[in-house]
Amino acid sequence: MNPYDFARIDWERIPERRKPMWHNRLVGNADQKLYSGQLEVDLDVLTPLFIVDPRHDPADNREPALSIQNDYGEYIIPGSSLKGMLRTLVETLGNGCLTLFDGEYDRREINYRNKIASDFRHCWDNTNLCIACRTFGMLQEREGRGNVFLGKVNIGDAIAYKHVLYQSIYTGVLVEPKPRHKDFYLDVSEEHIAGRKFYFHHSPNGKPITANSLQYMGGRPSNRYIRPLAKGTQFHFRIDFTNLEEDEFGALLLAVVLEETMRHKVGYGKPLGMGSVELIPTKLTLIDYAARYTQWKMGQGKQEFEKDIWTEVNRHLAIFYAQHLQTLAIEDLRRIWRFPPDPGVNYYYPSKREWFDKPVSKGKRIADTRSVPRQM
Ligand SMILES: [Zn+2]
């Protein structure tokens, strides 16, 4: 089966935009409750995980590349990667704008820009922002004038406090067959893009798709020789947040915890069965700066949730589910990020020659690819 599918966008429901709460505000409008503090999160590796170190040249195959480490030799997942993953989820589940995807694939080879209604395109005005741009920030260059909102969430690097190495592998080729199949990328009406792309999990008992050597395309390798981290590796990271409104806080919490039957994917080789991880919140600290400011007592206005963390998290999730959740998207993401995955299905790119280029594949959608020939 095709290794990815799309979480649909509800085109009837335009992203709600409003003025963001600025950093220096102590209380919201009319005593509106705002959330500031920290969330501590454990991250457990479920299938081989590899984060590319940009300092390493993929053509150098004398030694397998290791997943990125910091200056102390600790394995890390950069905060920027985690932020990107969580932002995409807030956009998807909270009905945000389309930040990264503007309809262009492969530098103008295919352009679906006209398949995105203008109200769904990336926010352009820092006084009128969607939930994702209010939470994580926005940077929009338009006619030479920068228009910026810094965002209210900071995420530190996840640091491995325990690591297990997987064996050395040449990964499978990471080039999607071309041409892009419009029956995958557009919805049935062909009026809109199909949604936001997510990769299925592979079985944690299986092995990622590999090759026997480096495979060159256009003079550059299209795979890597690596030694990933294995199941058993455990990271920890911290999210700091300031002045989040109720919907923003709920969306952030949902992006971290998802649902019991779902897991995240991060890093290199997602179509090959790599990068499945579980996020487990371990401690939530809420700081009421308004109370601290007015009452002049240390410790005043600080709440810590550790054993009872789920009571507090679930309280905010319930509000988010009732008022803000994008239901089409969670239905799709539940299926795509289901973990463990459907045991009867293997995920791989269908073969260009044996499938995409055959007349029989015309009009076929992702759900129709369960047993088609695979790309070699
Ligand atoms: Zn936005």
Side-chain angles (χ1 to χ4, degrees), residues 156-361:
D157 293 344
I159 294 173
Y161 57 92
K162 182 185 161 204
H163 76 263
V164 180
L165 284 172
Y166 196 70
Q167 67 203 72
S168 302
I169 54 170
Y170 290 97
T171 69
V173 169
L174 270 173
V175 177
E176 191 181 348
K178 290 173 192 172
R180 309 275 178 174
H181 198 57
K182 84 173 161 42
D183 299 308
F184 286 8
Y185 278 85
L186 296 181
D187 67 10
V188 182
S189 71
E190 298 195 5
E191 278 178 36
H192 297 116
I193 56 162
R196 293 182 177 83
K197 190 178 192 177
F198 292 91
Y199 290 90
F200 289 99
H201 290 289
H202 292 209
S203 167
N205 305 316
K207 291 181 171 162
I209 297 172
T210 56
N212 295 320
S213 60
L214 285 185
Q215 308 288 312
Y216 284 82
M217 282 184 192
R220 293 291 297 165
S222 55
N223 64 338
R224 286 176 184 264
Y225 181 43
I226 59 172
R227 189 154 190 213
L229 295 163
K231 185 174 161 65
T233 302
Q234 292 180 300
F235 291 87
H236 187 82
F237 68 98
R238 195 177 92 187
I239 302 172
D240 288 273
F241 49 91
T242 313
N243 284 354
L244 293 183
E245 298 181 66
E246 181 66 55
D247 59 340
E248 299 159 4
F249 188 41
L252 176 65
L253 290 173
L254 178 59
V256 171
V257 306
L258 295 177
E259 292 179 355
E260 259 182 271
T261 56
M262 297 164 73
R263 299 290 181 271
H264 296 77
K265 282 223 2 148
V266 68
Y268 181 80
K270 295 185 192 85
L272 309 174
M274 297 175 60
S276 300
V277 297
E278 178 172 12
L279 272 58
I280 306 147
T282 56
K283 185 178 177 184
L284 173 66
T285 306
L286 293 177
I287 299 161
D288 185 344
Y289 285 107
R292 294 195 104 175
Y293 188 74
T294 52
Q295 294 175 19
W296 296 101
K297 272 187 202 160
M298 284 305 288
Q300 190 78 38
K302 181 170 161 181
Q303 282 180 293
E304 292 184 331
F305 304 93
E306 215 160 348
K307 280 201 180 95
D308 54 350
I309 185 168
W310 281 103
T311 315
E312 183 65 9
V313 169
N314 285 334
R315 195 168 70 77
H316 295 286
L317 291 182
I319 298 169
F320 186 81
Y321 269 67
Q323 297 176 14
H324 307 288
L325 182 65
Q326 219 279 46
T327 48
L328 285 181
I330 192 108
E331 278 172 26
D332 292 329
L333 196 57
R334 250 179 218 139
R335 177 173 55 81
I336 304 168
W337 271 8
R338 168 190 161 162
F339 194 92
D342 187 341
V345 184
N346 290 315
Y347 298 97
Y348 49 81
Y349 286 126
S351 158
K352 173 168 157 52
R353 200 159 53 86
E354 304 289 326
W355 195 74
F356 281 108
D357 288 353
K358 298 259 171 166
V360 68
S361 74

Side-chain angles (χ1 to χ4, degrees), residues 17 87 96-97 99 121-123 129-133:
R17 291 186 169 92
R87 180 185 183 123
C97 70
T99 310
R121 292 189 193 152
H122 191 5
C123 298
L129 297 178
C130 79
I131 189 166
C133 291

Side-chain angles (χ1 to χ4, degrees), residues 64-79:
L66 297 172
S67 196
I68 191 167
Q69 294 166 287
N70 63 16
D71 292 343
Y72 306 102
E74 297 164 314
Y75 287 99
I76 60 165
I77 303 175

